[in-house]
Amino acid sequence: MSRLEAKKPLLVISEPLNKDTVSQSLSLLSGILKSCYGPAGRLKQLHNGVGGYVCTTSQSSAILSRLSVSHPVLSVLMASVQNHISRFSDCGLFTAILCCRLIENFKSLNVAPCTVIKISKHLLSLCMDYLKSEACGCRVSVDFSSVETLLCLVRSILTSKPACMLNKTEVDHLSTLILKAFISTVPCHVESNAVLGKCVTVPVKGRRVVDSTVLPGLLIETPDIQLAKPLTVKRTCSNMIKIALFCVSMSGDCFNPEEGTITVHHGISLETLELNQLLNVGKQLVNDEVGLVVCQKVIHPSLKQYLKENHVIAVDRAGLSLMEPLSQMTGSKPIASIRLLSPSCYGSLKDVRIESFASKHFMHLIPNDTVVCSLILCNRNETAWDELKRACETAEHVLQLTIKEPLALLGGGCTETHLASYIRHKTCSLSTSSFRDIDCSRTQYQLVADGFCRSLESVACSLNHDDGEILTDMVYGHCWFVPSGFPSVSNWSDLVSKCGCGITGKTENLNWRLLQGQFDSPTVQGCPKEPSVKVADFLTLDCFAAKCSGLQVALETASLILDLSYIIEDQN
C-alpha cells in the first residue's frame, strides 16, 4: 500500500534547556506546584477538555497524574516524581519543586553541566551523611511506645491537605483513628518475617467527619440484607464460624467460548449440569459445617436459597479488593474451582453481625485475632471525601515506612533551611584535596553549593502564600514566617512566636536573615545547632524516608536533565 503522506524526518533539538519554550514550561509547572504547597496551598481544579469528572485537589499524586505535558524534559521530570510518589506516597510536591528550582539555578551558573553534576553528587552525599548521622539537628526519633510523635506525623499530613476541609477537632479525631487503625494492623507476635495487616477504607459520604470510626475486622456492604430478622449463622462445636472464600464465579454460567469448544450429546443440558455441580458444592459446604460463604463474583440464586435453608450465610459480589484482607484475616485460602473443594481451604471467624452507617448496611466479619480493620471514613461531599481518602492512604503508608525506620524530619520548611545552613557551613571548611578529587575549583564548588542551598530555601519559601517575610535564624537554621503587612525593617522578634516546625520559640535573642530577595549574599554562619527545648505541643513533621528519597530524586533528576544535549523525536 502506498503512503498517503511522505515520511517526515526526525526532529533533532540540540541543547534543549537553552530553548525559551522549555524555560517557560518549567517555570509554569514550578509555579503551579509551588502554589499548592503546604497547609495554605491553593487548590487546583483539573478536568479534561470535553468535560467529565472535575478533581479539586492540592496533592501531587492527583495533580501529576492528571497533568498532560508534551515536552520530553517535563515528561522526564514528572515521571521521576510520580515514581517517587508510587514508592513513598509523600513529599511529591517537595521533590518536584526542588527539582525545578535546581534546574533553574544550576542552568543560570557559568559552570559546565558535567562539573555541576559532579559537585551536586558530592553535595547530595554530604546531605545524606548528615541526615543519617546522630549529630543531625533536623530529625527526631520516633518512639513507638508513645503515640505523641506518631500523632504529630499523621496530623502534619492531614493539615497539609486543605481540600479535605478539616477543622482542628476533625484533624485530631482522624489522626487518632488513623493511628489506631495502623496499630491494629501490626501483629502482636513479631517474627522475623512478620507482615503488616490491612486497613480497608469504607466510604460514607454526606456525613460529618467526626462520625468516622474504626472497627476490627471487615465490613462487606450488603444492600439486600433484611434488618428486621435476626442473623442466624451456623457454628462449629467450638462456637467458631467456618468460612469458605471463593474467587471463581458461582453463577452457573456455561463455559467461556474463548476457552475452546465442547461436544454435547443430544438431550444434555449444560445449565442443569452446572447447577447440579453447584448444589453438590453447597451440600459439601453444609456437611463441612461452613457457616459463611463469600464469593468474589456472583452466586446462583438456587445455591443461595439452598445455603440459606441450611443456615449458611452467602455473600456474593465481594470484589477483588476484599479477597486478600479476607484471606489474611480468616486464614482461608481462596477457592478457584467448584470442582476441587478441600476442607483445608476453610478459615474461621469469631462472629458475624449487621452494622448500619448512614443509609448503608454492612455485614461485619469479626475475626479471632485481627490484623485487619475497617476505617469508616466520612466527609461532607464527594470532592472532600476523595481528597481525604488520598490523605489517609498517605498517612498509613508513612506510618508503615516509619516503623521500618523510626525517624522523622522537622517540617514547616525547617529541614530545608537547616540543611542549607549546614551545607553553607560545611563547604567553607572543605580541604583543597576535596576539590581536587571532584576535579573542580573552589569557586565552581561554591557557586554550585550556593545554587543548591538557594533551591532548598526556595522550597521553604513556597510554604508562604500571603506575601509575608520569611526568615531563618543564625543559631538553629530554622524557618520563621512573618505575617504580611509589616515592613522589612521591623523588629522580627516581636512578630514571630515559633518556627515553622514548632520546636523552637523566641526564648532567646536570635539573629535573623531574610530568605526572600537575599539569596545572592548569604551571611556566613556557624554550624546550625539542635534546639534543646521543644516549645510546641504538636510539631510539624515529615516522613524521614520519603523526604530523603525526594531530595535524592530531585537532585538526580535535575542532573539528568542538565546532562541532556539532544532530544530526538519521531514526528511520524
Side-chain angles (χ1 to χ4, degrees):
M1 181 178 177
S2 62
R3 290 185 176 273
L4 300 177
E5 186 180 344
K7 188 175 182 180
K8 297 177 183 178
L10 294 173
L11 177 63
V12 180
I13 303 172
S14 61
E15 302 299 334
L17 287 185
N18 293 334
K19 309 300 181 189
D20 289 340
T21 53
V22 177
S23 299
Q24 292 168 1
S25 299
L26 196 64
S27 178
L28 178 61
L29 177 64
S30 176
I32 291 172
L33 299 176
K34 284 166 66 175
S35 68
C36 298
Y37 196 43
R42 306 316 192 221
L43 304 184
K44 301 292 174 287
Q45 284 195 329
L46 301 105
H47 61 96
N48 57 40
V50 292
Y53 177 73
V54 177
C55 175
T56 303
T57 185
S58 65
Q59 295 191 44
S60 57
S61 57
I63 291 172
L64 295 180
S65 63
R66 289 170 173 83
L67 274 185
S68 178
V69 296
S70 57
H71 200 282
V73 169
L74 296 187
S75 297
V76 169
L77 192 156
M78 290 180 63
S80 294
V81 177
Q82 285 179 288
N83 182 57
H84 161 82
I85 295 170
S86 69
R87 294 170 56 223
F88 295 93
S89 298
D90 198 22
C91 296
L93 287 176
F94 163 80
T95 306
I97 295 168
L98 179 58
C99 186
C100 291
R101 290 301 297 157
L102 286 169
I103 294 169
E104 291 170 355
N105 286 330
F106 287 165
K107 188 166 69 75
S108 65
L109 301 176
N110 190 23
V111 181
C114 59
T115 305
V116 172
I117 292 169
K118 285 188 287 187
I119 297 172
S120 63
K121 284 182 179 178
H122 187 260
L123 291 169
L124 178 62
S125 67
L126 289 179
C127 290
M128 299 309 293
D129 290 344
Y130 178 64
L131 291 172
K132 294 181 179 180
S133 71
E134 293 295 329
C136 179
C138 60
R139 78 175 196 185
V140 295
S141 297
V142 178
D143 183 6
F144 275 83
S145 63
S146 171
V147 299
E148 182 182 358
T149 310
L150 294 171
L151 279 173
C152 289
L153 198 55
V154 176
R155 194 174 186 275
S156 300
I157 293 170
L158 294 179
T159 53
S160 68
K161 319 297 181 192
C164 295
M165 298 188 292
L166 304 176
N167 58 37
K168 184 182 182 301
T169 303
E170 292 167 342
V171 169
D172 293 342
H173 178 71
L174 279 177
S175 299
T176 305
L177 286 185
I178 292 168
L179 186 55
K180 179 182 177 181
F182 170 73
I183 291 173
S184 70
T185 65
V186 180
C188 296
H189 309 291
V190 179
E191 302 172 359
S192 58
N193 59 345
V195 178
L196 291 175
K198 298 284 183 183
C199 175
V200 179
T201 302
V202 179
V204 178
K205 301 168 187 177
R207 296 296 295 268
R208 301 181 307 161
V209 175
V210 291
D211 291 334
S212 302
T213 188
V214 172
L215 293 176
L218 278 176
L219 293 175
I220 301 178
E221 189 171 357
T222 51
D224 56 346
I225 198 77
Q226 295 182 357
L227 296 177
K229 296 183 178 180
L231 191 65
T232 56
V233 55
K234 179 184 287 188
R235 295 177 180 267
T236 63
C237 54
S238 57
N239 202 32
M240 301 304 297
I241 300 172
K242 197 178 288 187
I243 176 174
L245 186 60
F246 287 86
C247 59
V248 65
S249 174
M250 304 178 76
S251 64
D253 292 339
C254 295
F255 71 98
N256 188 344
E258 295 177 358
E259 297 176 355
T261 58
I262 60 173
T263 303
V264 181
H265 294 287
H266 180 70
I268 300 295
S269 169
L270 287 177
E271 290 81 359
T272 303
L273 288 175
E274 195 74 14
L275 180 56
N276 289 336
Q277 179 62 40
L278 287 172
L279 292 175
N280 288 334
V281 169
K283 291 175 183 177
Q284 184 175 345
L285 293 170
V286 171
N287 292 336
D288 291 339
E289 295 185 307
V290 171
L292 175 65
V293 175
V294 178
C295 182
Q296 175 186 331
K297 300 179 181 179
V298 178
I299 299 178
H300 194 284
S302 297
L303 177 58
K304 263 189 174 182
Q305 182 62 31
Y306 174 80
L307 293 172
K308 182 179 178 181
E309 291 170 354
N310 288 274
H311 307 292
V312 178
I313 299 175
V315 179
D316 61 354
R317 296 182 174 92
L320 178 62
S321 61
L322 287 180
M323 289 297 106
E324 184 183 352
L326 266 173
S327 177
Q328 187 177 13
M329 181 180 79
T330 62
S332 57
K333 299 174 185 177
I335 301 166
S337 173
I338 60 172
R339 288 169 176 80
L340 296 172
L341 194 59
S342 171
S344 63
C345 294
Y346 302 146
S348 63
L349 285 170
K350 181 180 179 180
D351 200 3
V352 177
R353 299 174 186 167
I354 299 298
E355 303 280 358
S356 296
F357 296 96
S359 59
K360 294 185 176 183
H361 308 304
F362 300 91
M363 189 168 291
H364 184 193
L365 311 185
I366 304 171
N368 300 302
D369 183 18
T370 182
V371 288
V372 175
C373 66
S374 296
L375 171 61
I376 301 166
L377 189 61
C378 307
N379 212 336
R380 302 168 187 84
N381 55 60
E382 186 173 358
T383 298
W385 188 91
D386 290 341
E387 188 80 347
L388 184 57
K389 181 175 185 289
R390 284 189 287 265
C392 291
E393 289 172 346
T394 298
E396 182 188 8
H397 194 183
V398 163
L399 290 171
Q400 291 170 353
L401 294 169
T402 305
I403 203 172
K404 295 178 184 177
E405 198 167 13
L407 296 168
L409 289 173
L410 301 178
C414 290
T415 289
E416 290 87 338
T417 54
H418 179 91
L419 204 52
S421 299
Y422 171 78
I423 292 297
R424 285 201 171 99
H425 164 77
K426 191 72 176 177
T427 54
C428 291
S429 58
L430 284 178
S431 62
T432 307
S433 60
S434 299
F435 304 125
R436 195 182 307 117
D437 294 339
I438 304 170
D439 192 22
C440 71
S441 67
R442 180 181 290 273
T443 302
Q444 288 174 324
Y445 192 96
Q446 292 290 357
L447 283 171
V448 176
D450 183 56
F452 174 72
C453 293
R454 286 188 286 119
S455 299
L456 281 172
E457 290 170 342
S458 177
V459 177
C461 291
S462 300
L463 287 166
N464 183 27
H465 302 278
D466 297 318
D467 300 325
E469 299 290 357
I470 304 168
L471 314 173
T472 181
D473 65 83
M474 306 298 285
V475 177
Y476 306 113
H478 281 216
C479 184
W480 303 72
F481 297 93
V482 179
S484 59
F486 293 95
S488 299
V489 293
S490 301
N491 184 1
W492 301 128
S493 297
D494 296 336
L495 302 177
V496 295
S497 58
K498 61 182 179 181
C499 66
C501 69
I503 203 172
T504 304
K506 54 172 185 179
T507 54
E508 56 186 290
N509 292 324
L510 298 173
N511 293 321
W512 313 95
R513 176 172 71 87
L514 276 169
L515 284 184
Q516 287 181 320
Q518 294 194 6
F519 290 145
D520 296 329
S521 55
T523 308
V524 178
Q525 64 187 73
C527 184
K529 300 177 182 179
E530 180 180 0
S532 56
V533 181
K534 185 185 73 172
V535 299
D537 294 330
F538 285 103
L539 299 181
T540 300
L541 299 177
D542 289 327
C543 175
F544 180 83
K547 199 139 202 178
C548 287
S549 170
L551 177 63
Q552 187 171 349
V553 168
L555 202 53
E556 290 177 350
T557 304
S559 297
L560 172 65
I561 291 173
L562 287 170
D563 203 28
L564 289 174
S565 297
Y566 292 93
I567 292 176
I568 303 171
E569 187 175 345
D570 187 356
Q571 300 183 88
N572 295 291

Short mmCIF file of all heavy atoms in Angstrom, two decimals, residues 178-225:
data_model
loop_
_atom_site.label_atom_id
_atom_site.label_comp_id
_atom_site.label_asym_id
_atom_site.label_seq_id
_atom_site.Cartn_x
_atom_site.Cartn_y
_atom_site.Cartn_z
N ILE A 178 -6.65 7.11 62.46
CA ILE A 178 -5.65 6.55 61.53
C ILE A 178 -4.56 5.82 62.29
O ILE A 178 -4.14 4.73 61.90
CB ILE A 178 -5.06 7.68 60.65
CG1 ILE A 178 -6.12 8.22 59.70
CG2 ILE A 178 -3.86 7.18 59.86
CD1 ILE A 178 -5.72 9.50 59.00
N LEU A 179 -4.12 6.42 63.40
CA LEU A 179 -3.09 5.76 64.21
C LEU A 179 -3.63 4.48 64.85
O LEU A 179 -2.93 3.46 64.89
CB LEU A 179 -2.58 6.74 65.27
CG LEU A 179 -1.40 6.26 66.12
CD1 LEU A 179 -0.23 5.86 65.24
CD2 LEU A 179 -1.00 7.33 67.10
N LYS A 180 -4.86 4.53 65.34
CA LYS A 180 -5.49 3.34 65.91
C LYS A 180 -5.62 2.23 64.87
O LYS A 180 -5.33 1.05 65.16
CB LYS A 180 -6.87 3.70 66.45
CG LYS A 180 -7.64 2.54 67.06
CD LYS A 180 -9.03 3.00 67.53
CE LYS A 180 -9.84 1.82 68.06
NZ LYS A 180 -11.20 2.25 68.48
N ALA A 181 -6.03 2.60 63.66
CA ALA A 181 -6.17 1.61 62.59
C ALA A 181 -4.82 1.01 62.24
O ALA A 181 -4.69 -0.21 62.04
CB ALA A 181 -6.79 2.27 61.35
N PHE A 182 -3.79 1.86 62.18
CA PHE A 182 -2.45 1.35 61.84
C PHE A 182 -1.94 0.39 62.90
O PHE A 182 -1.40 -0.69 62.59
CB PHE A 182 -1.48 2.51 61.65
CG PHE A 182 -0.05 2.08 61.53
CD1 PHE A 182 0.41 1.46 60.38
CD2 PHE A 182 0.83 2.26 62.60
CE1 PHE A 182 1.72 1.04 60.27
CE2 PHE A 182 2.14 1.84 62.49
CZ PHE A 182 2.59 1.24 61.34
N ILE A 183 -2.07 0.78 64.17
CA ILE A 183 -1.57 -0.07 65.26
C ILE A 183 -2.26 -1.42 65.26
O ILE A 183 -1.65 -2.45 65.55
CB ILE A 183 -1.74 0.66 66.61
CG1 ILE A 183 -0.78 1.85 66.68
CG2 ILE A 183 -1.48 -0.29 67.78
CD1 ILE A 183 -0.96 2.73 67.90
N SER A 184 -3.55 -1.44 64.89
CA SER A 184 -4.28 -2.71 64.86
C SER A 184 -3.80 -3.62 63.74
O SER A 184 -4.10 -4.82 63.74
CB SER A 184 -5.78 -2.46 64.74
OG SER A 184 -6.10 -1.95 63.46
N THR A 185 -3.09 -3.08 62.75
CA THR A 185 -2.56 -3.92 61.65
C THR A 185 -1.18 -4.48 61.96
O THR A 185 -0.64 -5.26 61.17
CB THR A 185 -2.47 -3.12 60.34
OG1 THR A 185 -1.51 -2.06 60.48
CG2 THR A 185 -3.81 -2.54 59.95
N VAL A 186 -0.61 -4.07 63.10
CA VAL A 186 0.72 -4.58 63.48
C VAL A 186 0.53 -5.87 64.27
O VAL A 186 -0.19 -5.89 65.27
CB VAL A 186 1.47 -3.55 64.34
CG1 VAL A 186 2.85 -4.08 64.74
CG2 VAL A 186 1.62 -2.23 63.58
N PRO A 187 1.15 -6.98 63.84
CA PRO A 187 0.98 -8.26 64.55
C PRO A 187 1.45 -8.17 66.00
O PRO A 187 2.44 -7.49 66.32
CB PRO A 187 1.85 -9.23 63.75
CG PRO A 187 2.06 -8.58 62.42
CD PRO A 187 2.02 -7.10 62.67
N CYS A 188 0.73 -8.83 66.92
CA CYS A 188 1.12 -8.84 68.33
C CYS A 188 2.37 -9.66 68.55
O CYS A 188 3.23 -9.30 69.36
CB CYS A 188 -0.02 -9.41 69.18
SG CYS A 188 -1.52 -8.39 69.14
N HIS A 189 2.48 -10.76 67.83
CA HIS A 189 3.64 -11.65 67.98
C HIS A 189 4.54 -11.45 66.76
O HIS A 189 4.28 -11.94 65.67
CB HIS A 189 3.18 -13.11 68.08
CG HIS A 189 2.12 -13.33 69.12
ND1 HIS A 189 2.38 -13.23 70.47
CD2 HIS A 189 0.79 -13.59 69.01
CE1 HIS A 189 1.26 -13.44 71.15
NE2 HIS A 189 0.28 -13.67 70.28
N VAL A 190 5.62 -10.70 66.97
CA VAL A 190 6.50 -10.33 65.86
C VAL A 190 7.48 -11.46 65.59
O VAL A 190 8.16 -11.96 66.50
CB VAL A 190 7.26 -9.03 66.19
CG1 VAL A 190 8.20 -8.66 65.06
CG2 VAL A 190 6.28 -7.91 66.47
N GLU A 191 7.55 -11.86 64.33
CA GLU A 191 8.50 -12.87 63.89
C GLU A 191 9.46 -12.23 62.90
O GLU A 191 9.33 -11.07 62.52
CB GLU A 191 7.76 -14.04 63.25
CG GLU A 191 6.74 -14.69 64.19
CD GLU A 191 5.89 -15.72 63.47
OE1 GLU A 191 6.09 -15.89 62.25
OE2 GLU A 191 5.03 -16.33 64.12
N SER A 192 10.44 -13.02 62.47
CA SER A 192 11.44 -12.48 61.53
C SER A 192 10.81 -12.09 60.20
O SER A 192 11.27 -11.17 59.53
CB SER A 192 12.56 -13.50 61.31
OG SER A 192 12.01 -14.71 60.80
N ASN A 193 9.75 -12.79 59.81
CA ASN A 193 9.08 -12.50 58.54
C ASN A 193 7.68 -11.93 58.76
O ASN A 193 6.74 -12.25 58.04
CB ASN A 193 9.01 -13.76 57.67
CG ASN A 193 8.27 -14.89 58.36
OD1 ASN A 193 8.06 -14.85 59.57
ND2 ASN A 193 7.88 -15.89 57.60
N ALA A 194 7.53 -11.11 59.80
CA ALA A 194 6.22 -10.54 60.14
C ALA A 194 5.70 -9.67 59.00
O ALA A 194 6.46 -8.94 58.36
CB ALA A 194 6.31 -9.72 61.42
N VAL A 195 4.40 -9.77 58.75
CA VAL A 195 3.74 -8.99 57.69
C VAL A 195 2.66 -8.13 58.31
O VAL A 195 1.87 -8.61 59.13
CB VAL A 195 3.12 -9.94 56.62
CG1 VAL A 195 2.41 -9.13 55.55
CG2 VAL A 195 4.20 -10.81 56.00
N LEU A 196 2.64 -6.85 57.93
CA LEU A 196 1.60 -5.96 58.43
C LEU A 196 0.25 -6.34 57.85
O LEU A 196 0.17 -6.85 56.73
CB LEU A 196 1.92 -4.50 58.07
CG LEU A 196 3.12 -3.87 58.77
CD1 LEU A 196 3.36 -2.47 58.21
CD2 LEU A 196 2.91 -3.79 60.28
N GLY A 197 -0.81 -6.08 58.61
CA GLY A 197 -2.15 -6.37 58.14
C GLY A 197 -2.67 -5.30 57.19
O GLY A 197 -1.92 -4.53 56.62
N LYS A 198 -3.98 -5.24 57.06
CA LYS A 198 -4.62 -4.32 56.11
C LYS A 198 -5.63 -3.44 56.83
O LYS A 198 -6.32 -3.88 57.75
CB LYS A 198 -5.35 -5.10 55.02
CG LYS A 198 -4.46 -5.98 54.15
CD LYS A 198 -3.68 -5.17 53.14
CE LYS A 198 -2.85 -6.07 52.24
NZ LYS A 198 -2.04 -5.30 51.30
N CYS A 199 -5.72 -2.20 56.35
CA CYS A 199 -6.78 -1.31 56.77
C CYS A 199 -7.63 -1.00 55.54
O CYS A 199 -7.13 -0.41 54.58
CB CYS A 199 -6.21 -0.03 57.37
SG CYS A 199 -7.47 1.19 57.80
N VAL A 200 -8.88 -1.41 55.55
CA VAL A 200 -9.77 -1.24 54.40
C VAL A 200 -10.66 -0.02 54.65
O VAL A 200 -11.32 0.08 55.69
CB VAL A 200 -10.64 -2.49 54.18
CG1 VAL A 200 -11.59 -2.28 53.01
CG2 VAL A 200 -9.75 -3.71 53.94
N THR A 201 -10.65 0.92 53.71
CA THR A 201 -11.43 2.14 53.84
C THR A 201 -12.84 1.92 53.31
O THR A 201 -13.03 1.45 52.19
CB THR A 201 -10.78 3.31 53.08
OG1 THR A 201 -9.45 3.50 53.58
CG2 THR A 201 -11.57 4.59 53.25
N VAL A 202 -13.83 2.25 54.15
CA VAL A 202 -15.24 2.12 53.77
C VAL A 202 -15.80 3.53 53.57
O VAL A 202 -15.82 4.33 54.51
CB VAL A 202 -16.04 1.38 54.85
CG1 VAL A 202 -17.51 1.28 54.45
CG2 VAL A 202 -15.44 -0.01 55.11
N PRO A 203 -16.25 3.88 52.36
CA PRO A 203 -16.72 5.25 52.11
C PRO A 203 -18.13 5.51 52.63
O PRO A 203 -19.04 4.72 52.39
CB PRO A 203 -16.68 5.34 50.57
CG PRO A 203 -16.88 3.93 50.10
CD PRO A 203 -16.25 3.05 51.14
N VAL A 204 -18.27 6.62 53.34
CA VAL A 204 -19.60 7.11 53.75
C VAL A 204 -19.60 8.62 53.48
O VAL A 204 -19.00 9.39 54.23
CB VAL A 204 -19.91 6.82 55.22
CG1 VAL A 204 -21.27 7.40 55.59
CG2 VAL A 204 -19.87 5.32 55.50
N LYS A 205 -20.24 9.02 52.40
CA LYS A 205 -20.22 10.43 52.00
C LYS A 205 -21.51 11.12 52.44
O LYS A 205 -22.56 10.51 52.51
CB LYS A 205 -20.04 10.53 50.48
CG LYS A 205 -18.75 9.87 50.00
CD LYS A 205 -18.69 9.70 48.49
CE LYS A 205 -17.48 8.89 48.09
NZ LYS A 205 -17.40 8.64 46.64
N GLY A 206 -21.38 12.41 52.72
CA GLY A 206 -22.52 13.18 53.17
C GLY A 206 -22.74 13.17 54.66
O GLY A 206 -23.77 13.63 55.15
N ARG A 207 -21.77 12.65 55.42
CA ARG A 207 -21.86 12.64 56.89
C ARG A 207 -20.71 13.45 57.48
O ARG A 207 -19.73 13.77 56.82
CB ARG A 207 -21.79 11.19 57.41
CG ARG A 207 -22.96 10.33 56.98
CD ARG A 207 -24.27 10.83 57.55
NE ARG A 207 -24.32 10.74 58.99
CZ ARG A 207 -24.80 9.69 59.66
NH1 ARG A 207 -25.28 8.65 59.00
NH2 ARG A 207 -24.82 9.68 60.97
N ARG A 208 -20.79 13.76 58.76
CA ARG A 208 -19.77 14.54 59.45
C ARG A 208 -18.48 13.73 59.56
O ARG A 208 -18.50 12.51 59.70
CB ARG A 208 -20.24 14.93 60.85
CG ARG A 208 -21.51 15.76 60.90
CD ARG A 208 -21.83 16.08 62.34
NE ARG A 208 -21.87 14.87 63.16
CZ ARG A 208 -21.77 14.85 64.49
NH1 ARG A 208 -21.61 16.00 65.15
NH2 ARG A 208 -21.82 13.72 65.16
N VAL A 209 -17.35 14.43 59.51
CA VAL A 209 -16.05 13.76 59.63
C VAL A 209 -15.92 13.07 60.98
O VAL A 209 -15.36 11.97 61.08
CB VAL A 209 -14.91 14.78 59.44
CG1 VAL A 209 -13.55 14.13 59.68
CG2 VAL A 209 -14.96 15.37 58.03
N VAL A 210 -16.46 13.68 62.03
CA VAL A 210 -16.34 13.09 63.37
C VAL A 210 -17.19 11.84 63.53
O VAL A 210 -17.10 11.15 64.56
CB VAL A 210 -16.71 14.13 64.46
CG1 VAL A 210 -15.68 15.24 64.53
CG2 VAL A 210 -18.10 14.69 64.23
N ASP A 211 -18.01 11.50 62.53
CA ASP A 211 -18.75 10.23 62.56
C ASP A 211 -17.87 9.07 62.10
O ASP A 211 -18.28 7.90 62.21
CB ASP A 211 -19.98 10.31 61.65
CG ASP A 211 -21.04 11.26 62.20
OD1 ASP A 211 -21.07 11.45 63.42
OD2 ASP A 211 -21.82 11.82 61.40
N SER A 212 -16.70 9.37 61.59
CA SER A 212 -15.77 8.32 61.16
C SER A 212 -15.37 7.48 62.36
O SER A 212 -15.26 7.97 63.49
CB SER A 212 -14.52 8.93 60.52
OG SER A 212 -14.85 9.75 59.42
N THR A 213 -15.11 6.21 62.11
CA THR A 213 -14.72 5.30 63.19
C THR A 213 -13.91 4.14 62.63
O THR A 213 -13.84 3.95 61.41
CB THR A 213 -15.95 4.79 63.96
OG1 THR A 213 -15.52 4.07 65.11
CG2 THR A 213 -16.80 3.87 63.08
N VAL A 214 -13.32 3.37 63.52
CA VAL A 214 -12.54 2.19 63.15
C VAL A 214 -13.15 0.97 63.83
O VAL A 214 -13.46 1.01 65.03
CB VAL A 214 -11.06 2.33 63.57
CG1 VAL A 214 -10.31 1.03 63.33
CG2 VAL A 214 -10.39 3.44 62.78
N LEU A 215 -13.34 -0.09 63.05
CA LEU A 215 -13.88 -1.34 63.59
C LEU A 215 -12.91 -2.48 63.28
O LEU A 215 -12.31 -2.51 62.21
CB LEU A 215 -15.24 -1.65 62.98
CG LEU A 215 -16.39 -0.71 63.33
CD1 LEU A 215 -17.65 -1.13 62.56
CD2 LEU A 215 -16.67 -0.70 64.82
N PRO A 216 -12.74 -3.42 64.20
CA PRO A 216 -11.90 -4.59 63.91
C PRO A 216 -12.57 -5.46 62.87
O PRO A 216 -13.81 -5.55 62.82
CB PRO A 216 -11.79 -5.29 65.26
CG PRO A 216 -13.02 -4.88 65.99
CD PRO A 216 -13.32 -3.48 65.55
N GLY A 217 -11.80 -6.11 62.04
CA GLY A 217 -12.37 -6.99 61.03
C GLY A 217 -12.76 -6.24 59.77
O GLY A 217 -12.30 -5.14 59.51
N LEU A 218 -13.66 -6.85 59.01
CA LEU A 218 -14.04 -6.31 57.71
C LEU A 218 -15.53 -6.04 57.63
O LEU A 218 -16.34 -6.77 58.21
CB LEU A 218 -13.65 -7.29 56.60
CG LEU A 218 -12.21 -7.27 56.11
CD1 LEU A 218 -11.99 -8.36 55.08
CD2 LEU A 218 -11.84 -5.92 55.53
N LEU A 219 -15.87 -5.01 56.87
CA LEU A 219 -17.26 -4.70 56.56
C LEU A 219 -17.51 -4.98 55.08
O LEU A 219 -16.77 -4.49 54.23
CB LEU A 219 -17.57 -3.23 56.86
CG LEU A 219 -17.54 -2.80 58.33
CD1 LEU A 219 -17.75 -1.31 58.43
CD2 LEU A 219 -18.58 -3.54 59.15
N ILE A 220 -18.55 -5.77 54.79
CA ILE A 220 -18.95 -6.04 53.42
C ILE A 220 -20.34 -5.46 53.21
O ILE A 220 -21.29 -5.83 53.94
CB ILE A 220 -18.94 -7.54 53.11
CG1 ILE A 220 -17.56 -8.14 53.35
CG2 ILE A 220 -19.37 -7.79 51.67
CD1 ILE A 220 -17.48 -9.64 53.11
N GLU A 221 -20.46 -4.55 52.25
CA GLU A 221 -21.76 -3.91 52.03
C GLU A 221 -22.75 -4.93 51.48
O GLU A 221 -22.49 -5.63 50.51
CB GLU A 221 -21.62 -2.73 51.07
CG GLU A 221 -22.88 -1.91 50.96
CD GLU A 221 -22.69 -0.62 50.18
OE1 GLU A 221 -21.55 -0.33 49.76
OE2 GLU A 221 -23.69 0.10 49.97
N THR A 222 -23.92 -5.00 52.13
CA THR A 222 -24.99 -5.94 51.73
C THR A 222 -26.30 -5.17 51.67
O THR A 222 -27.07 -5.15 52.65
CB THR A 222 -25.09 -7.09 52.74
OG1 THR A 222 -25.17 -6.54 54.06
CG2 THR A 222 -23.89 -8.02 52.66
N PRO A 223 -26.59 -4.54 50.53
CA PRO A 223 -27.80 -3.71 50.43
C PRO A 223 -29.09 -4.49 50.57
O PRO A 223 -30.12 -3.93 50.96
CB PRO A 223 -27.67 -3.07 49.05
CG PRO A 223 -26.63 -3.85 48.32
CD PRO A 223 -25.78 -4.51 49.32
N ASP A 224 -29.07 -5.80 50.27
CA ASP A 224 -30.31 -6.58 50.30
C ASP A 224 -30.54 -7.29 51.63
O ASP A 224 -31.41 -8.15 51.75
CB ASP A 224 -30.32 -7.61 49.17
CG ASP A 224 -29.10 -8.52 49.21
OD1 ASP A 224 -28.14 -8.19 49.94
OD2 ASP A 224 -29.10 -9.56 48.51
N ILE A 225 -29.74 -6.94 52.66
CA ILE A 225 -29.89 -7.61 53.95
C ILE A 225 -31.20 -7.20 54.60
O ILE A 225 -31.64 -6.05 54.49
CB ILE A 225 -28.68 -7.27 54.87
CG1 ILE A 225 -28.58 -8.28 56.01
CG2 ILE A 225 -28.81 -5.86 55.42
CD1 ILE A 225 -28.00 -9.59 55.62
#
